[in-house]
Amino acid sequence: MFYITADKQVYFGSIVSKTDQQSYGAISELTRTSAPETQSSYASDTFNFKWSYSNSYDNHQGTANVKLVKISKPGGVAFELKIIPETLDLLEYKGFMEGSLNLD
């Protein structure tokens, strides 16, 4: 999830709703590239940014490089998210953006 704080800072949060745990923090160095739809691929937007995060579940703080790809498919907006924290672990998530699925 992305949100803007009262002081106009853009934040990113990774939330696990089942356990009410989250990692959250400000983003910086945001870049965006777009690719149009072709015969072999859907239109997409790629966002890269640095994330200064804090974990609610263990009070750990750190920085991570994040890559978010939004893919505009006929049935909804898919996403691929890669997070690489300072430990160089790779966290990957895939799915559809909430509210974007065309269920008709």
Side-chain angles (χ1 to χ4, degrees):
M1 133 163 96
F2 291 91
Y3 57 98
I4 299 175
T5 61
D7 63 350
K8 307 292 186 212
Q9 179 70 39
V10 178
Y11 269 53
F12 173 68
S14 175
I15 300 168
V16 179
S17 58
K18 291 180 184 179
T19 60
D20 198 29
Q21 297 177 346
Q22 62 179 313
S23 299
Y24 59 93
I27 69 169
S28 61
E29 301 179 35
L30 175 66
T31 63
R32 175 186 175 193
T33 56
S34 297
E37 183 174 2
T38 67
Q39 288 185 348
S40 60
S41 66
Y42 298 110
S44 66
D45 291 300
T46 301
F47 301 88
N48 289 288
F49 55 90
K50 294 228 183 267
W51 182 34
S52 298
Y53 67 89
S54 297
N55 296 335
S56 67
Y57 49 91
D58 65 4
N59 294 321
H60 178 78
Q61 297 179 337
T63 58
N65 290 314
V66 179
K67 179 179 182 179
L68 170 64
V69 181
K70 289 176 43 182
I71 306 149
S72 299
K73 295 185 174 186
V77 179
F79 74 87
E80 297 175 359
L81 177 69
K82 293 182 181 180
I83 301 172
I84 303 174
E86 65 279 350
T87 60
L88 300 181
D89 294 330
L90 175 61
L91 307 171
E92 293 185 276
Y93 303 92
K94 293 181 181 184
F96 283 87
M97 296 202 162
E98 186 172 323
S100 76
L101 289 178
N102 182 3
L103 302 175
D104 295 333

